[in-house]
Amino acid sequence: MKIAVLIDKPRAAFLPNEEGFREDEQKRKTALGLQEVISKYHECVILEADINLPLELSAEKIDFVFNLCNGIKGADKLSQVPAFLEFMGVPYTGSSVLGHALASNKVYAGKIMKGIGINTPDFIYVHNVNELDWHDITFPVLVKPCDEGSSRGIYQDSLVYNMKSLKAKVAENLRLYNPPVMITEFIDGKEFHAGLIGNGDDLYLLPIEEICLDNLPDSMARFYSFEVKAYHKDKTTYICPAIIDEGLSAMIYDIAKCVFEALSLRDYARLDIRIKNGIPYVLEINSLPGLLNGYSAFTRMANACKLGYEGLVMKILESAFKRYEITTFT
Ligand SMILES: Nc1ncnc2c1ncn2[C@@H]1O[C@H](COP(=O)(O)OP(=O)(O)O)[C@@H](O)[C@H]1O
Ligand SMILES: [Mg+2]
């Protein structure tokens, strides 16, 4: 079996800024880590997805893809490479077109969660600033883009306390990000990552991780904003396994499993959760969580249990093999 670890073509050519370089660099390091593990069991190469993907996959005689592509531009970016692979009939790890599309759009994910009775912050969404006048808003609220990740568009000043700042922030978001813009109830509480791995009856919760923001400068609001992720990593502490009682962790498992199934996810996913008054609220679902060993939450959660990083990589691969009824593991 020949496996390709597939990454986006480096974006430096499209987006020459610090953020673009950093993300491309992380993806390449992630791919090298995966290749090192997978190569112990299968032939494994790293490929960059671009318009020549079909030619490359057949020229390289690829049997299976470990998909790490977030997509580069356009709507529903995460679904683009899976759609390509479906069209070509090449099996791959992780969620399908539908799963990535639903999870990566926070408006749709939020509606589905509300529809099945999962607690998620209340939200409205608008396509222009005037629509805000139709709503009765209880401040503070957090303004966020509907389909970004890595806290892009979620800055300290995205937490707003009055209509004037809300209108200014919404106008700015409408200029910079895909519409609609979300205005969400701010959940003031501890924050956790919940990682799921597997499928169906073989779906497991990794040890839950708490993101502790207590050491941030006093002037900063306690949420995982872009500034915190980019400039205050050293002030962020991760506690894994989180110290939470068994009842709560069982509740998080039930919630995570429900969401995973409702959004049609596959193989692995990570939920961001905040707990307020003992109630877990799902902030969002990552259908393609980072897998850079030691750096990404998912790997810290795997390293906190007997699975470990190598076990994590192979478990994702084997979960995907099982779905496709691939039984030859070499
Ligand atoms: N409704 C909310 N209440 C409180 N904090 C929130 C809420 N939504 C987002 N956040 C904060 O912003 C961070 C980033 O938001 P998230 O929805 O996870 O976006 P991203 O996809 O960019 O990670 C979260 O980790 C959390 O700290
Ligand atoms: Mg998040």
Side-chain angles (χ1 to χ4, degrees), residues 106 121-122 142 144 148-152 154 184-188 191 193 211 213 222-225 229 270 272 274 283-284 286:
K106 292 168 189 170
D122 285 337
L142 188 73
K144 60 185 204 181
E148 289 290 340
S150 305
S151 289
R152 271 186 297 272
I154 305 181
T184 68
E185 171 193 11
F186 185 72
I187 306 296
D188 196 2
E191 185 160 334
H193 286 140
I211 304 127
L213 302 172
R222 266 45 186 173
F223 65 101
Y224 213 11
S225 64
K229 286 186 191 171
R270 197 194 80 219
D272 295 348
R274 277 195 159 207
L283 303 182
E284 66 138 348
N286 291 280

Side-chain angles (χ1 to χ4, degrees), residues 100-167:
H100 284 308
L102 292 175
S104 65
N105 189 306
K106 292 168 189 170
V107 169
Y108 284 85
K111 285 186 183 186
I112 291 175
M113 287 192 283
K114 293 259 180 217
I116 58 170
I118 296 289
N119 285 308
T120 185
D122 285 337
F123 68 95
I124 58 166
Y125 53 97
V126 297
H127 292 81
N128 67 63
V129 174
N130 296 336
E131 284 174 38
L132 289 170
D133 295 330
W134 307 344
H135 299 277
D136 190 14
I137 293 165
T138 309
F139 292 94
V141 286
L142 188 73
V143 179
K144 60 185 204 181
C146 64
D147 63 356
E148 289 290 340
S150 305
S151 289
R152 271 186 297 272
I154 305 181
Y155 293 92
Q156 286 282 304
D157 67 357
S158 301
L159 181 60
V160 296
Y161 291 82
N162 56 56
M163 191 50 111
K164 189 171 173 229
S165 332
L166 175 61
K167 286 193 169 174

Side-chain angles (χ1 to χ4, degrees), residues 31 46-47 105 133-134 158 171 197 226 239 274 285 288 319 330:
I46 298 175
L47 292 182
N105 189 306
D133 295 330
W134 307 344
S158 301
I197 186 160
F226 187 83
I239 307 163
R274 277 195 159 207
I285 306 97
L288 195 70
S319 302
T330 47

